[in-house]
Each structure stands twice: as structure tokens, then as C-alpha cells.
Amino acid sequence: MLTDIGPEKESNESQWNSSISILHETVENATRDLSGEKENGTKPGVLDVEALSADGLQKILSRSLSRASCTDDPGPPPDGGLHAWTQVFATHLVIFLTWGYINSFGVFQNYYVTALNRPPSDVSWVGSVQVFFLFFVGTFSGRALDAGWFRTTFVAGAVLQLVGTFMTSLSTSYWQLFLAQGVCTGIGNGLQFCPSVSLVSTYFSKKRALALSIVASGTSTGGLVFPAIVESLLPKIGFQWTIRVLGFLMLGIQLLAFSLIRTRIPPRTTGPLVEWSAFKSPPYALFSIAMFFEFMGLYFGFYYVSSFSTDILHASYTDSIHYLLMINGIGIAGRLIPAYLADRYFGPTNCVIPVALGAGILVYCWAFVDSQAGLTAFALIYGFFAAGVQGLFPSTLASLTVDLRKAGVRMGMVLSIVAVPSLAGAPIAGALIERRGGSYLFAQMFAASILICGVLTLVATRISRTGLRLLVKV
């Protein structure tokens, strides 16, 4: 039987800190309300001890504790119910639009290489910059959630996402695509992604991994819908109107998500943009490093499976899209099954380690693929394990944050850290492919090895939380 040391057991520290804050506020209120500013004529700011009658002190304590309870303590997460699951559905739509669109970049990668006559490493910068800004903006958008600016931030992100998409439809050169699809859309995605995921984590405790994985499965549903639309419409109506169709689809889904999504935690108006003290916690610091390695190698498969099929296996453009659809489609199961096991039996940290290990081993195996049947097997199995890493990433991170009022800023900090490897990983792989004259071997070894480095750091994260004990749910 696993011993559970999840967030519900760690909440004692949060309750203690909350009690200290309430006591501190109570003393300040007592000093202010019973100071010399009253009729007794004492000096302002000096507490009149004689005025502290039993009834007066009781009223002050009652008023202070009541105010603290109403404004600072929304109570434990509901962990279910119609309202909580509605937030999961709405945030699933947000991830559909952000990560689903990003995970579909493989279909654009192949098209841009041919249409623009640019090398794969150049084109992959467009997708990598998009991922970079989605993560990097998390530091700012996450803090905006904590401060109570969620809806303003969400609207700004939606507008930028739409502007970037429609400007992509007008782009005719590489630098225009880089600015529109890479920079503008990436910033818009970042303003929506981090606050939405952080918001869902405040509604769940025991079912948090499952809820966040349902949210994260929007990556797979979007990764199925967007490439399918491109495959169907591109030969019929051309690139410009295909992208505009995607833009109008985004607009409708954004309106639906915005009408449903609601915050639960009261605003934390004070607090730093970056909470440096969080890195004094070994589990948080090690997990940040582990995700740095994981996201350096994780997206190589998503970006290059289609081009591998055409360059190495000589598949058609239509068939190459199918491999991307396989990776994204199997990701639904890859997110939900590990999440269920994490919530029900093992905990998110225990589950993310084997799925990350599986992703690394699969990329090593990719080097031996020499047929379309072999690539089909790789796409399905790798898609499962890679999706497991993506799905367990937010729930594992959320389990390291006890004070839910800091959920936004702490998640944003890690997202900003993984922005750098997400930016550099795919272009480095592309450069290795060019250096080898079109061979994918060096790029595959690079991506697989960096994923294994992440696995080793995840093991260190787990040990820093539980020691060498094995039967611990964490």
C-alpha cells in the first residue's frame, strides 16, 4: 500500500501560514481601531491597553477573522461538481486552441520547406518561437491570474492569437510567417495558457492529475482537428483561405471558453513577479531542471515525423500528415491513462518518471525505423509516452505548490524556464540533420539522450521529496 503525501497532507503548512497572517492582521486592526485616534486622546498609533476590554477584543477578533475568512480563504478545492468540471471543459478548449495548434506545426513544417524553399532548421524556428513565447509569457500571465486580472489577460491573448493567425494567411515570405505565426500567435497563446491551467488546479486536489490531463488532452484533439482541416482544405481553397478558416474556428471556440471560465481564488494583489524563494525547495528546483531537459527533446518527434516519412521513407505529403495525426490522436489515451493511475494509485511524480523514460527509449528506437509500418508503430507508441509527459507536467508541478494563491506565479516561473529548451530543441535537431546531409541519426540520438537526462533529474526530484522510500504516493 502506497503512503500518500500528496497536497492534501501538505496543506497543514498552508493552514499554519494562513493562521499567522490572520493573527498579524488582527493585531494591526486592534492597534488601529483602539489607538489614540479615539476619544481618549492618546497619540495616534499607540495601543491603549485599558481600552482592550473582553467584549471589545472579542469584537475585533470576530471582525478580523470573518474578513480574513471571506476574502482570503475560499475553502478547500471542491474536487468535482458541475462548476469545477465546467472549468475543465473550458480550459480544454483553451488548450485545443493553443497547444493543439502548436502540435499541428508538423503539417506546416513540411509545407513551408517546399513552398518557401527553406531548410528544415529555418522553418522549425517558427514553431519553436511559438512554443517559446507560450512558455515565457507564463511568468507574467501567471502572476496576472494571482492578481485578479485573468479575464483581461485572456482577452488580450485571444486578440493576439487571432491577429497572428489572420496575418499568417497574408504572409508570403519567411520573416512574415516568423512574426505572425511565431511571435504574435505565440504571445497570444502564452497569455491564455498559463492562467487557464493554473486556474483549474485551484478547483481540484485528489482528482487534480485527472482534471489537468483532461485539460491537456486538448493538445491531442486540437492536434487532430487542425491538421485534418489543413489536409482537406489546402488542395481545394489554397493556403490563405485554409488559415482563415482556422482563424474563424478559433474565434468561435474562444467566445465559448470565455463565457464559461471563472476564477475561484481571491486576488493576491501583493507579491513578487518571480518568487525566488521557491527555488530553495529542492523538489521544485530539481523538477524545473528536469523539465528543461524534457522539453529540449520532446517536440523533435512532433515536428519531424512528417518530414522523416517523406525524406527517408519517401511517403507522399498526404501520408506524412497521417503520422502526425497518429501521434496527436493516441495522445488522448496517453494523457488520461497515466493521469488516472496517478490519482488513483501512484501520484503524479511516480507516474511521470516511467512515461518520460518510455519517450526517451522510443526516440532511440526511431533510429532503426526503415519502413512505413515501423514508423506507424513508432508514432503510436511515442505519441502515448510523449503525451503522458505533457499531461503529467502541470499536475506534478501543481503538487509542489501548497499555497494555491501562488499557483499562477509558480507555474509561470517553470514555464519560463522550459521556454528556452522549447525554443532551441527543434532547430538544433534540424541543424544536426543538415550537418549529416539529411540523415536523422544525430538528431535522434541528441533528442533521446536529452530526454534520458530529464528522467534522471526526475528521479532526483522524487528522492528529494521522499528519500529512498519506494511505496510512497507522491
Side-chain angles (χ1 to χ4, degrees):
M1 185 67 180
L2 294 180
T3 303
D4 188 355
I5 60 168
E8 61 272 12
K9 296 293 185 66
E10 296 175 351
S11 61
N12 290 336
E13 178 184 350
S14 177
Q15 295 174 357
W16 172 257
N17 292 336
S18 178
S19 301
I20 293 296
S21 299
I22 292 172
L23 180 60
H24 179 70
E25 182 182 356
T26 300
V27 174
E28 288 184 344
N29 289 337
T31 304
R32 181 169 55 253
D33 294 347
L34 296 179
S35 65
E37 297 174 337
K38 294 190 174 183
E39 297 177 356
N40 56 21
T42 59
K43 294 182 180 181
V46 178
L47 181 64
D48 185 358
V49 179
E50 295 179 358
L52 287 176
S53 64
D55 291 339
L57 184 57
Q58 182 178 3
K59 290 179 180 179
I60 294 170
L61 286 169
S62 176
R63 184 170 65 249
S64 300
L65 292 172
S66 175
R67 180 166 60 251
S69 175
C70 293
T71 62
D72 292 335
D73 184 12
D79 220 30
L82 178 61
H83 186 58
W85 289 113
T86 299
Q87 306 313 303
V88 172
F89 171 71
T91 309
H92 176 95
L93 297 178
V94 175
I95 305 305
F96 176 98
L97 296 177
T98 54
W99 274 112
Y101 188 57
I102 287 174
N103 270 25
S104 305
F105 186 75
V107 70
F108 297 109
Q109 169 91 13
N110 236 5
Y111 177 80
Y112 292 157
V113 168
T114 303
L116 300 176
N117 194 27
R118 300 293 290 257
S121 59
D122 285 358
V123 173
S124 63
W125 277 108
V126 178
S128 294
V129 164
Q130 200 174 358
V131 177
F132 170 79
F133 279 110
L134 181 146
F135 281 141
F136 182 74
V137 173
T139 291
F140 309 96
S141 59
R143 182 64 187 92
L145 167 70
D146 295 342
W149 299 339
F150 171 79
R151 299 181 76 80
T152 302
T153 305
F154 186 93
V155 170
V159 169
L160 284 174
Q161 186 184 51
L162 290 174
V163 169
T165 301
F166 283 106
M167 291 306 295
T168 298
S169 72
L170 300 175
S171 301
T172 57
S173 63
Y174 173 76
W175 70 267
Q176 291 172 338
L177 284 170
F178 184 88
L179 292 176
Q181 190 172 2
V183 177
C184 187
T185 305
I187 294 174
N189 290 342
L191 290 174
Q192 297 175 82
F193 169 68
C194 178
S196 300
V197 174
S198 301
L199 179 147
V200 170
S201 69
T202 67
Y203 280 88
F204 293 90
S205 178
K206 293 182 179 179
K207 300 177 181 177
R208 181 180 291 162
L210 179 61
L212 288 175
S213 291
I214 293 173
V215 166
S217 65
T219 303
S220 297
T221 53
L224 288 172
V225 172
F226 287 119
I229 292 175
V230 173
E231 179 189 9
S232 176
L233 296 183
L234 190 60
K236 300 176 182 178
I237 62 178
F239 175 76
Q240 292 187 344
W241 274 106
T242 298
I243 298 300
R244 289 168 190 162
V245 169
L246 299 183
F248 287 120
L249 174 65
M250 289 177 177
L251 174 60
I253 295 177
Q254 284 171 347
L255 293 175
L256 177 59
F258 184 76
S259 67
L260 296 175
I261 204 161
R262 295 290 185 274
T263 59
R264 190 183 80 90
I265 301 297
R268 184 170 64 98
T269 55
T270 60
L273 182 64
V274 178
E275 187 191 355
W276 297 109
S277 60
F279 293 108
K280 295 180 180 179
S281 168
Y284 186 87
L286 288 170
F287 182 77
S288 302
I289 297 171
M291 288 299 104
F292 181 95
F293 290 132
E294 289 298 311
F295 281 92
M296 177 74 79
L298 198 64
Y299 291 101
F300 171 63
F302 290 92
Y303 285 6
Y304 284 95
V305 67
S306 294
S307 61
F308 179 88
S309 69
T310 56
D311 296 343
I312 306 300
L313 304 180
H314 309 293
S316 66
Y317 176 73
T318 300
D319 289 341
S320 71
I321 295 176
H322 293 163
Y323 294 112
L324 180 63
L325 292 175
M326 291 177 195
I327 285 184
N328 286 325
I330 197 65
I332 297 176
R335 287 170 174 83
L336 297 181
I337 294 176
Y340 173 78
L341 295 175
D343 277 338
R344 185 71 176 84
Y345 300 106
F346 305 112
T349 305
N350 288 334
C351 283
V352 74
I353 294 172
V355 295
L357 178 62
I361 293 174
L362 260 293
V363 178
Y364 278 128
C365 294
W366 187 8
F368 299 97
V369 171
D370 57 3
S371 67
Q372 293 193 32
L375 188 60
T376 298
F378 165 77
L380 291 173
I381 303 174
Y382 177 76
F384 180 90
F385 285 106
V389 176
Q390 292 174 323
L392 291 172
F393 163 57
S395 57
T396 306
L397 176 58
S399 71
L400 301 176
T401 302
V402 177
D403 188 351
L404 295 181
R405 295 175 301 174
K406 299 179 180 179
V409 65
R410 286 206 169 192
M411 182 166 290
M413 288 160 56
V414 177
L415 292 180
S416 294
I417 290 172
V418 302
V420 177
S422 300
L423 173 67
I428 290 174
L432 290 172
I433 294 171
E434 291 179 46
R435 186 179 181 87
R436 289 283 295 173
S439 171
Y440 282 65
L441 180 61
F442 278 18
Q444 290 162 333
M445 295 300 102
F446 164 76
S449 299
I450 208 74
L451 287 170
I452 297 302
C453 288
V455 172
L456 296 176
T457 315
L458 282 171
V459 172
T461 303
R462 203 262 189 197
I463 293 174
S464 70
R465 295 189 71 181
T466 66
L468 296 177
R469 292 179 295 163
L470 294 178
L471 300 180
V472 179
K473 181 180 178 181
V474 63

